[in-house]
PDB file of all heavy atoms in Angstrom:
ATOM      1  N   SER A1029      10.899  70.794 -32.537  1.00  0.00           N
ATOM      2  CA  SER A1029      11.931  71.762 -32.902  1.00  0.00           C
ATOM      3  C   SER A1029      12.808  71.173 -34.001  1.00  0.00           C
ATOM      4  O   SER A1029      13.213  69.999 -33.927  1.00  0.00           O
ATOM      5  CB  SER A1029      12.780  72.112 -31.668  1.00  0.00           C
ATOM      6  OG  SER A1029      13.823  72.999 -32.013  1.00  0.00           O
ATOM      7  N   TYR A1030      13.126  71.979 -35.011  1.00  0.00           N
ATOM      8  CA  TYR A1030      13.892  71.509 -36.173  1.00  0.00           C
ATOM      9  C   TYR A1030      15.089  72.429 -36.441  1.00  0.00           C
ATOM     10  O   TYR A1030      15.034  73.625 -36.155  1.00  0.00           O
ATOM     11  CB  TYR A1030      13.003  71.442 -37.412  1.00  0.00           C
ATOM     12  CG  TYR A1030      11.887  70.437 -37.296  1.00  0.00           C
ATOM     13  CD1 TYR A1030      10.673  70.781 -36.708  1.00  0.00           C
ATOM     14  CD2 TYR A1030      12.046  69.132 -37.753  1.00  0.00           C
ATOM     15  CE1 TYR A1030       9.647  69.861 -36.575  1.00  0.00           C
ATOM     16  CE2 TYR A1030      11.027  68.210 -37.632  1.00  0.00           C
ATOM     17  CZ  TYR A1030       9.839  68.566 -37.043  1.00  0.00           C
ATOM     18  OH  TYR A1030       8.822  67.648 -36.904  1.00  0.00           O
ATOM     19  N   SER A1031      16.140  71.839 -36.999  1.00  0.00           N
ATOM     20  CA  SER A1031      17.355  72.576 -37.358  1.00  0.00           C
ATOM     21  C   SER A1031      17.589  72.470 -38.858  1.00  0.00           C
ATOM     22  O   SER A1031      17.323  71.423 -39.462  1.00  0.00           O
ATOM     23  CB  SER A1031      18.567  72.031 -36.600  1.00  0.00           C
ATOM     24  OG  SER A1031      18.410  72.194 -35.212  1.00  0.00           O
ATOM     25  N   VAL A1032      18.093  73.556 -39.445  1.00  0.00           N
ATOM     26  CA  VAL A1032      18.342  73.620 -40.885  1.00  0.00           C
ATOM     27  C   VAL A1032      19.846  73.740 -41.121  1.00  0.00           C
ATOM     28  O   VAL A1032      20.518  74.557 -40.494  1.00  0.00           O
ATOM     29  CB  VAL A1032      17.602  74.817 -41.514  1.00  0.00           C
ATOM     30  CG1 VAL A1032      17.901  74.900 -43.016  1.00  0.00           C
ATOM     31  CG2 VAL A1032      16.098  74.704 -41.275  1.00  0.00           C
ATOM     32  N   PHE A1033      20.361  72.909 -42.035  1.00  0.00           N
ATOM     33  CA  PHE A1033      21.793  72.886 -42.351  1.00  0.00           C
ATOM     34  C   PHE A1033      22.008  72.955 -43.860  1.00  0.00           C
ATOM     35  O   PHE A1033      21.276  72.329 -44.630  1.00  0.00           O
ATOM     36  CB  PHE A1033      22.450  71.595 -41.846  1.00  0.00           C
ATOM     37  CG  PHE A1033      22.359  71.369 -40.369  1.00  0.00           C
ATOM     38  CD1 PHE A1033      21.247  70.736 -39.822  1.00  0.00           C
ATOM     39  CD2 PHE A1033      23.367  71.775 -39.522  1.00  0.00           C
ATOM     40  CE1 PHE A1033      21.159  70.516 -38.461  1.00  0.00           C
ATOM     41  CE2 PHE A1033      23.286  71.565 -38.161  1.00  0.00           C
ATOM     42  CZ  PHE A1033      22.172  70.926 -37.626  1.00  0.00           C
ATOM     43  N   PHE A1034      23.044  73.688 -44.275  1.00  0.00           N
ATOM     44  CA  PHE A1034      23.526  73.651 -45.655  1.00  0.00           C
ATOM     45  C   PHE A1034      24.699  72.671 -45.712  1.00  0.00           C
ATOM     46  O   PHE A1034      25.640  72.786 -44.915  1.00  0.00           O
ATOM     47  CB  PHE A1034      24.003  75.036 -46.105  1.00  0.00           C
ATOM     48  CG  PHE A1034      22.909  75.949 -46.572  1.00  0.00           C
ATOM     49  CD1 PHE A1034      22.178  76.697 -45.655  1.00  0.00           C
ATOM     50  CD2 PHE A1034      22.591  76.057 -47.918  1.00  0.00           C
ATOM     51  CE1 PHE A1034      21.170  77.542 -46.071  1.00  0.00           C
ATOM     52  CE2 PHE A1034      21.579  76.905 -48.349  1.00  0.00           C
ATOM     53  CZ  PHE A1034      20.858  77.652 -47.425  1.00  0.00           C
ATOM     54  N   ARG A1035      24.661  71.746 -46.646  1.00  0.00           N
ATOM     55  CA  ARG A1035      25.772  70.787 -46.822  1.00  0.00           C
ATOM     56  C   ARG A1035      26.663  71.299 -47.957  1.00  0.00           C
ATOM     57  O   ARG A1035      26.269  71.309 -49.124  1.00  0.00           O
ATOM     58  CB  ARG A1035      25.239  69.388 -47.146  1.00  0.00           C
ATOM     59  CG  ARG A1035      26.332  68.323 -47.214  1.00  0.00           C
ATOM     60  CD  ARG A1035      25.725  66.930 -47.358  1.00  0.00           C
ATOM     61  NE  ARG A1035      26.732  65.887 -47.253  1.00  0.00           N
ATOM     62  CZ  ARG A1035      27.256  65.236 -48.293  1.00  0.00           C
ATOM     63  NH1 ARG A1035      26.868  65.539 -49.533  1.00  0.00           N
ATOM     64  NH2 ARG A1035      28.164  64.301 -48.100  1.00  0.00           N
ATOM     65  N   LEU A1036      27.896  71.711 -47.590  1.00  0.00           N
ATOM     66  CA  LEU A1036      28.811  72.363 -48.529  1.00  0.00           C
ATOM     67  C   LEU A1036      30.181  71.689 -48.504  1.00  0.00           C
ATOM     68  O   LEU A1036      30.553  71.029 -47.531  1.00  0.00           O
ATOM     69  CB  LEU A1036      28.954  73.853 -48.180  1.00  0.00           C
ATOM     70  CG  LEU A1036      27.655  74.654 -47.975  1.00  0.00           C
ATOM     71  CD1 LEU A1036      27.984  76.053 -47.473  1.00  0.00           C
ATOM     72  CD2 LEU A1036      26.851  74.712 -49.261  1.00  0.00           C
ATOM     73  N   HIS A1037      30.927  71.938 -49.574  1.00  0.00           N
ATOM     74  CA  HIS A1037      32.260  71.326 -49.701  1.00  0.00           C
ATOM     75  C   HIS A1037      33.184  72.274 -50.447  1.00  0.00           C
ATOM     76  O   HIS A1037      32.895  72.682 -51.579  1.00  0.00           O
ATOM     77  CB  HIS A1037      32.120  70.003 -50.466  1.00  0.00           C
ATOM     78  CG  HIS A1037      33.393  69.219 -50.601  1.00  0.00           C
ATOM     79  ND1 HIS A1037      34.412  69.584 -51.449  1.00  0.00           N
ATOM     80  CD2 HIS A1037      33.798  68.071 -49.994  1.00  0.00           C
ATOM     81  CE1 HIS A1037      35.385  68.694 -51.369  1.00  0.00           C
ATOM     82  NE2 HIS A1037      35.037  67.767 -50.493  1.00  0.00           N
ATOM     83  N   LEU A1038      34.276  72.665 -49.823  1.00  0.00           N
ATOM     84  CA  LEU A1038      35.295  73.477 -50.497  1.00  0.00           C
ATOM     85  C   LEU A1038      36.206  72.549 -51.295  1.00  0.00           C
ATOM     86  O   LEU A1038      36.841  71.653 -50.732  1.00  0.00           O
ATOM     87  CB  LEU A1038      36.107  74.279 -49.478  1.00  0.00           C
ATOM     88  CG  LEU A1038      35.396  75.465 -48.817  1.00  0.00           C
ATOM     89  CD1 LEU A1038      36.288  76.078 -47.742  1.00  0.00           C
ATOM     90  CD2 LEU A1038      35.006  76.517 -49.844  1.00  0.00           C
ATOM     91  N   GLY A1039      36.272  72.771 -52.595  1.00  0.00           N
ATOM     92  CA  GLY A1039      37.052  71.903 -53.466  1.00  0.00           C
ATOM     93  C   GLY A1039      36.145  71.043 -54.331  1.00  0.00           C
ATOM     94  O   GLY A1039      34.954  70.903 -54.058  1.00  0.00           O
ATOM     95  N   LYS A1040      36.726  70.480 -55.374  1.00  0.00           N
ATOM     96  CA  LYS A1040      35.971  69.655 -56.325  1.00  0.00           C
ATOM     97  C   LYS A1040      36.363  68.184 -56.154  1.00  0.00           C
ATOM     98  O   LYS A1040      37.439  67.774 -56.590  1.00  0.00           O
ATOM     99  CB  LYS A1040      36.268  70.126 -57.751  1.00  0.00           C
ATOM    100  CG  LYS A1040      35.423  69.474 -58.828  1.00  0.00           C
ATOM    101  CD  LYS A1040      35.733  70.087 -60.188  1.00  0.00           C
ATOM    102  CE  LYS A1040      34.845  69.522 -61.270  1.00  0.00           C
ATOM    103  NZ  LYS A1040      35.146  70.129 -62.603  1.00  0.00           N
ATOM    104  N   PRO A1041      35.510  67.379 -55.519  1.00  0.00           N
ATOM    105  CA  PRO A1041      35.856  65.973 -55.289  1.00  0.00           C
ATOM    106  C   PRO A1041      35.629  65.135 -56.552  1.00  0.00           C
ATOM    107  O   PRO A1041      34.742  65.416 -57.353  1.00  0.00           O
ATOM    108  CB  PRO A1041      34.895  65.551 -54.174  1.00  0.00           C
ATOM    109  CG  PRO A1041      33.695  66.422 -54.378  1.00  0.00           C
ATOM    110  CD  PRO A1041      34.217  67.739 -54.901  1.00  0.00           C
ATOM    111  N   SER A1042      36.433  64.115 -56.704  1.00  0.00           N
ATOM    112  CA  SER A1042      36.278  63.179 -57.824  1.00  0.00           C
ATOM    113  C   SER A1042      37.012  61.895 -57.475  1.00  0.00           C
ATOM    114  O   SER A1042      37.593  61.771 -56.387  1.00  0.00           O
ATOM    115  CB  SER A1042      36.828  63.789 -59.122  1.00  0.00           C
ATOM    116  OG  SER A1042      38.222  64.056 -58.990  1.00  0.00           O
ATOM    117  N   LYS A1043      36.987  60.934 -58.398  1.00  0.00           N
ATOM    118  CA  LYS A1043      37.697  59.676 -58.195  1.00  0.00           C
ATOM    119  C   LYS A1043      38.708  59.464 -59.308  1.00  0.00           C
ATOM    120  O   LYS A1043      38.434  59.747 -60.479  1.00  0.00           O
ATOM    121  CB  LYS A1043      36.712  58.505 -58.151  1.00  0.00           C
ATOM    122  CG  LYS A1043      36.033  58.336 -56.814  1.00  0.00           C
ATOM    123  CD  LYS A1043      35.320  56.990 -56.719  1.00  0.00           C
ATOM    124  CE  LYS A1043      34.788  56.764 -55.320  1.00  0.00           C
ATOM    125  NZ  LYS A1043      34.116  55.444 -55.197  1.00  0.00           N
ATOM    126  N   ARG A1044      39.880  58.989 -58.912  1.00  0.00           N
ATOM    127  CA  ARG A1044      40.928  58.688 -59.875  1.00  0.00           C
ATOM    128  C   ARG A1044      41.532  57.341 -59.509  1.00  0.00           C
ATOM    129  O   ARG A1044      42.019  57.157 -58.398  1.00  0.00           O
ATOM    130  CB  ARG A1044      41.992  59.784 -59.865  1.00  0.00           C
ATOM    131  CG  ARG A1044      43.096  59.602 -60.902  1.00  0.00           C
ATOM    132  CD  ARG A1044      44.081  60.758 -60.839  1.00  0.00           C
ATOM    133  NE  ARG A1044      43.409  62.042 -61.095  1.00  0.00           N
ATOM    134  CZ  ARG A1044      43.976  63.212 -60.871  1.00  0.00           C
ATOM    135  NH1 ARG A1044      45.204  63.261 -60.355  1.00  0.00           N
ATOM    136  NH2 ARG A1044      43.325  64.330 -61.131  1.00  0.00           N
ATOM    137  N   PHE A1045      41.449  56.415 -60.447  1.00  0.00           N
ATOM    138  CA  PHE A1045      41.938  55.053 -60.209  1.00  0.00           C
ATOM    139  C   PHE A1045      41.292  54.444 -58.960  1.00  0.00           C
ATOM    140  O   PHE A1045      41.928  53.739 -58.182  1.00  0.00           O
ATOM    141  CB  PHE A1045      43.467  55.025 -60.085  1.00  0.00           C
ATOM    142  CG  PHE A1045      44.182  55.603 -61.275  1.00  0.00           C
ATOM    143  CD1 PHE A1045      44.934  56.764 -61.154  1.00  0.00           C
ATOM    144  CD2 PHE A1045      44.090  55.010 -62.529  1.00  0.00           C
ATOM    145  CE1 PHE A1045      45.594  57.312 -62.249  1.00  0.00           C
ATOM    146  CE2 PHE A1045      44.750  55.547 -63.621  1.00  0.00           C
ATOM    147  CZ  PHE A1045      45.496  56.693 -63.502  1.00  0.00           C
ATOM    148  N   GLY A1046      40.000  54.760 -58.778  1.00  0.00           N
ATOM    149  CA  GLY A1046      39.265  54.182 -57.666  1.00  0.00           C
ATOM    150  C   GLY A1046      39.469  54.860 -56.332  1.00  0.00           C
ATOM    151  O   GLY A1046      38.872  54.458 -55.329  1.00  0.00           O
ATOM    152  N   ARG A1047      40.288  55.902 -56.284  1.00  0.00           N
ATOM    153  CA  ARG A1047      40.559  56.616 -55.033  1.00  0.00           C
ATOM    154  C   ARG A1047      39.992  58.022 -55.090  1.00  0.00           C
ATOM    155  O   ARG A1047      39.974  58.667 -56.134  1.00  0.00           O
ATOM    156  CB  ARG A1047      42.063  56.676 -54.769  1.00  0.00           C
ATOM    157  CG  ARG A1047      42.722  55.312 -54.608  1.00  0.00           C
ATOM    158  CD  ARG A1047      44.192  55.451 -54.270  1.00  0.00           C
ATOM    159  NE  ARG A1047      44.383  56.122 -52.990  1.00  0.00           N
ATOM    160  CZ  ARG A1047      45.584  56.396 -52.477  1.00  0.00           C
ATOM    161  NH1 ARG A1047      46.688  56.077 -53.153  1.00  0.00           N
ATOM    162  NH2 ARG A1047      45.682  57.002 -51.314  1.00  0.00           N
ATOM    163  N   ARG A1048      39.524  58.499 -53.933  1.00  0.00           N
ATOM    164  CA  ARG A1048      38.970  59.841 -53.868  1.00  0.00           C
ATOM    165  C   ARG A1048      40.080  60.890 -53.907  1.00  0.00           C
ATOM    166  O   ARG A1048      41.062  60.798 -53.187  1.00  0.00           O
ATOM    167  CB  ARG A1048      38.163  60.035 -52.580  1.00  0.00           C
ATOM    168  CG  ARG A1048      37.444  61.384 -52.482  1.00  0.00           C
ATOM    169  CD  ARG A1048      36.772  61.527 -51.127  1.00  0.00           C
ATOM    170  NE  ARG A1048      35.857  62.657 -51.058  1.00  0.00           N
ATOM    171  CZ  ARG A1048      36.187  63.890 -50.712  1.00  0.00           C
ATOM    172  NH1 ARG A1048      37.457  64.188 -50.385  1.00  0.00           N
ATOM    173  NH2 ARG A1048      35.278  64.857 -50.661  1.00  0.00           N
ATOM    174  N   VAL A1049      39.901  61.887 -54.778  1.00  0.00           N
ATOM    175  CA  VAL A1049      40.834  63.016 -54.845  1.00  0.00           C
ATOM    176  C   VAL A1049      40.012  64.298 -54.792  1.00  0.00           C
ATOM    177  O   VAL A1049      38.817  64.302 -55.072  1.00  0.00           O
ATOM    178  CB  VAL A1049      41.693  62.980 -56.129  1.00  0.00           C
ATOM    179  CG1 VAL A1049      42.607  61.771 -56.122  1.00  0.00           C
ATOM    180  CG2 VAL A1049      40.799  62.971 -57.366  1.00  0.00           C
ATOM    181  N   CYS A1050      40.647  65.378 -54.435  1.00  0.00           N
ATOM    182  CA  CYS A1050      39.940  66.659 -54.339  1.00  0.00           C
ATOM    183  C   CYS A1050      40.817  67.762 -54.906  1.00  0.00           C
ATOM    184  O   CYS A1050      41.954  67.961 -54.458  1.00  0.00           O
ATOM    185  CB  CYS A1050      39.566  66.959 -52.886  1.00  0.00           C
ATOM    186  SG  CYS A1050      38.602  68.475 -52.692  1.00  0.00           S
ATOM    187  N   ASN A1051      40.287  68.476 -55.889  1.00  0.00           N
ATOM    188  CA  ASN A1051      41.003  69.579 -56.518  1.00  0.00           C
ATOM    189  C   ASN A1051      40.654  70.870 -55.787  1.00  0.00           C
ATOM    190  O   ASN A1051      39.497  71.309 -55.773  1.00  0.00           O
ATOM    191  CB  ASN A1051      40.605  69.666 -57.997  1.00  0.00           C
ATOM    192  CG  ASN A1051      41.451  70.669 -58.765  1.00  0.00           C
ATOM    193  OD1 ASN A1051      41.967  71.625 -58.190  1.00  0.00           O
ATOM    194  ND2 ASN A1051      41.596  70.451 -60.063  1.00  0.00           N
ATOM    195  N   LEU A1052      41.646  71.508 -55.194  1.00  0.00           N
ATOM    196  CA  LEU A1052      41.435  72.741 -54.434  1.00  0.00           C
ATOM    197  C   LEU A1052      41.899  73.983 -55.179  1.00  0.00           C
ATOM    198  O   LEU A1052      41.915  75.085 -54.617  1.00  0.00           O
ATOM    199  CB  LEU A1052      42.169  72.657 -53.087  1.00  0.00           C
ATOM    200  CG  LEU A1052      41.821  71.470 -52.178  1.00  0.00           C
ATOM    201  CD1 LEU A1052      42.691  71.514 -50.923  1.00  0.00           C
ATOM    202  CD2 LEU A1052      40.344  71.499 -51.805  1.00  0.00           C
ATOM    203  N   ASP A1053      42.260  73.833 -56.471  1.00  0.00           N
ATOM    204  CA  ASP A1053      42.858  74.935 -57.220  1.00  0.00           C
ATOM    205  C   ASP A1053      41.957  76.168 -57.301  1.00  0.00           C
ATOM    206  O   ASP A1053      42.454  77.306 -57.308  1.00  0.00           O
ATOM    207  CB  ASP A1053      43.210  74.477 -58.642  1.00  0.00           C
ATOM    208  CG  ASP A1053      44.349  73.463 -58.662  1.00  0.00           C
ATOM    209  OD1 ASP A1053      45.016  73.326 -57.610  1.00  0.00           O
ATOM    210  OD2 ASP A1053      44.554  72.808 -59.698  1.00  0.00           O
ATOM    211  N   GLN A1054      40.633  75.960 -57.376  1.00  0.00           N
ATOM    212  CA  GLN A1054      39.736  77.091 -57.564  1.00  0.00           C
ATOM    213  C   GLN A1054      39.160  77.635 -56.252  1.00  0.00           C
ATOM    214  O   GLN A1054      38.351  78.560 -56.264  1.00  0.00           O
ATOM    215  CB  GLN A1054      38.594  76.696 -58.505  1.00  0.00           C
ATOM    216  CG  GLN A1054      39.060  76.434 -59.939  1.00  0.00           C
ATOM    217  CD  GLN A1054      37.915  76.037 -60.844  1.00  0.00           C
ATOM    218  OE1 GLN A1054      37.107  75.178 -60.507  1.00  0.00           O
ATOM    219  NE2 GLN A1054      37.840  76.658 -62.018  1.00  0.00           N
ATOM    220  N   VAL A1055      39.567  77.058 -55.124  1.00  0.00           N
ATOM    221  CA  VAL A1055      39.053  77.525 -53.832  1.00  0.00           C
ATOM    222  C   VAL A1055      39.695  78.860 -53.483  1.00  0.00           C
ATOM    223  O   VAL A1055      40.911  78.965 -53.328  1.00  0.00           O
ATOM    224  CB  VAL A1055      39.349  76.493 -52.718  1.00  0.00           C
ATOM    225  CG1 VAL A1055      38.879  77.037 -51.362  1.00  0.00           C
ATOM    226  CG2 VAL A1055      38.660  75.175 -53.018  1.00  0.00           C
ATOM    227  N   HIS A1056      38.878  79.903 -53.357  1.00  0.00           N
ATOM    228  CA  HIS A1056      39.399  81.215 -52.985  1.00  0.00           C
ATOM    229  C   HIS A1056      38.239  82.117 -52.553  1.00  0.00           C
ATOM    230  O   HIS A1056      37.081  81.880 -52.889  1.00  0.00           O
ATOM    231  CB  HIS A1056      40.144  81.867 -54.159  1.00  0.00           C
ATOM    232  CG  HIS A1056      39.255  82.284 -55.290  1.00  0.00           C
ATOM    233  ND1 HIS A1056      38.746  81.388 -56.211  1.00  0.00           N
ATOM    234  CD2 HIS A1056      38.754  83.514 -55.644  1.00  0.00           C
ATOM    235  CE1 HIS A1056      38.002  82.031 -57.088  1.00  0.00           C
ATOM    236  NE2 HIS A1056      37.987  83.331 -56.765  1.00  0.00           N
ATOM    237  N   GLY A1057      38.558  83.163 -51.808  1.00  0.00           N
ATOM    238  CA  GLY A1057      37.602  84.202 -51.461  1.00  0.00           C
ATOM    239  C   GLY A1057      36.739  83.955 -50.237  1.00  0.00           C
ATOM    240  O   GLY A1057      36.044  84.864 -49.775  1.00  0.00           O
ATOM    241  N   TRP A1058      36.810  82.772 -49.666  1.00  0.00           N
ATOM    242  CA  TRP A1058      35.907  82.459 -48.549  1.00  0.00           C
ATOM    243  C   TRP A1058      36.475  82.882 -47.193  1.00  0.00           C
ATOM    244  O   TRP A1058      35.753  82.887 -46.198  1.00  0.00           O
ATOM    245  CB  TRP A1058      35.587  80.959 -48.551  1.00  0.00           C
ATOM    246  CG  TRP A1058      34.992  80.504 -49.843  1.00  0.00           C
ATOM    247  CD1 TRP A1058      35.588  79.734 -50.793  1.00  0.00           C
ATOM    248  CD2 TRP A1058      33.692  80.833 -50.353  1.00  0.00           C
ATOM    249  NE1 TRP A1058      34.755  79.548 -51.864  1.00  0.00           N
ATOM    250  CE2 TRP A1058      33.574  80.216 -51.625  1.00  0.00           C
ATOM    251  CE3 TRP A1058      32.622  81.604 -49.868  1.00  0.00           C
ATOM    252  CZ2 TRP A1058      32.431  80.342 -52.400  1.00  0.00           C
ATOM    253  CZ3 TRP A1058      31.486  81.713 -50.655  1.00  0.00           C
ATOM    254  CH2 TRP A1058      31.393  81.080 -51.901  1.00  0.00           C
ATOM    255  N   ASN A1059      37.752  83.190 -47.170  1.00  0.00           N
ATOM    256  CA  ASN A1059      38.348  83.652 -45.911  1.00  0.00           C
ATOM    257  C   ASN A1059      38.440  85.179 -45.833  1.00  0.00           C
ATOM    258  O   ASN A1059      38.975  85.729 -44.873  1.00  0.00           O
ATOM    259  CB  ASN A1059      39.740  83.034 -45.723  1.00  0.00           C
ATOM    260  CG  ASN A1059      40.665  83.369 -46.892  1.00  0.00           C
ATOM    261  OD1 ASN A1059      40.228  83.939 -47.894  1.00  0.00           O
ATOM    262  ND2 ASN A1059      41.937  83.011 -46.758  1.00  0.00           N
ATOM    263  N   THR A1060      37.905  85.848 -46.862  1.00  0.00           N
ATOM    264  CA  THR A1060      37.916  87.314 -46.872  1.00  0.00           C
ATOM    265  C   THR A1060      36.725  87.882 -46.106  1.00  0.00           C
ATOM    266  O   THR A1060      36.863  88.792 -45.289  1.00  0.00           O
ATOM    267  CB  THR A1060      37.897  87.841 -48.321  1.00  0.00           C
ATOM    268  OG1 THR A1060      39.003  87.269 -49.047  1.00  0.00           O
ATOM    269  CG2 THR A1060      37.992  89.349 -48.356  1.00  0.00           C
ATOM    270  N   LYS A1061      35.553  87.368 -46.393  1.00  0.00           N
ATOM    271  CA  LYS A1061      34.327  87.779 -45.714  1.00  0.00           C
ATOM    272  C   LYS A1061      33.500  86.525 -45.379  1.00  0.00           C
ATOM    273  O   LYS A1061      33.530  85.541 -46.137  1.00  0.00           O
ATOM    274  CB  LYS A1061      33.499  88.713 -46.607  1.00  0.00           C
ATOM    275  CG  LYS A1061      34.101  90.093 -46.816  1.00  0.00           C
ATOM    276  CD  LYS A1061      34.004  90.933 -45.535  1.00  0.00           C
ATOM    277  CE  LYS A1061      34.573  92.346 -45.738  1.00  0.00           C
ATOM    278  NZ  LYS A1061      33.767  93.154 -46.665  1.00  0.00           N
ATOM    279  N   PRO A1062      32.739  86.554 -44.276  1.00  0.00           N
ATOM    280  CA  PRO A1062      31.923  85.384 -43.924  1.00  0.00           C
ATOM    281  C   PRO A1062      30.698  85.271 -44.822  1.00  0.00           C
ATOM    282  O   PRO A1062      30.274  86.237 -45.458  1.00  0.00           O
ATOM    283  CB  PRO A1062      31.518  85.667 -42.477  1.00  0.00           C
ATOM    284  CG  PRO A1062      31.514  87.158 -42.380  1.00  0.00           C
ATOM    285  CD  PRO A1062      32.646  87.624 -43.251  1.00  0.00           C
TER     286      PRO A1062
END
Side-chain angles (χ1 to χ4, degrees):
S1029 177
Y1030 296 86
S1031 298
V1032 178
F1033 300 87
F1034 277 84
R1035 185 173 187 259
L1036 310 173
H1037 184 287
L1038 287 175
K1040 187 176 184 180
S1042 62
K1043 279 193 173 181
R1044 183 178 300 168
F1045 304 114
R1047 298 183 63 182
R1048 185 185 191 271
V1049 295
C1050 183
N1051 188 333
L1052 304 177
D1053 292 346
Q1054 293 180 312
V1055 177
H1056 69 282
W1058 303 108
N1059 58 352
T1060 305
K1061 290 288 182 67

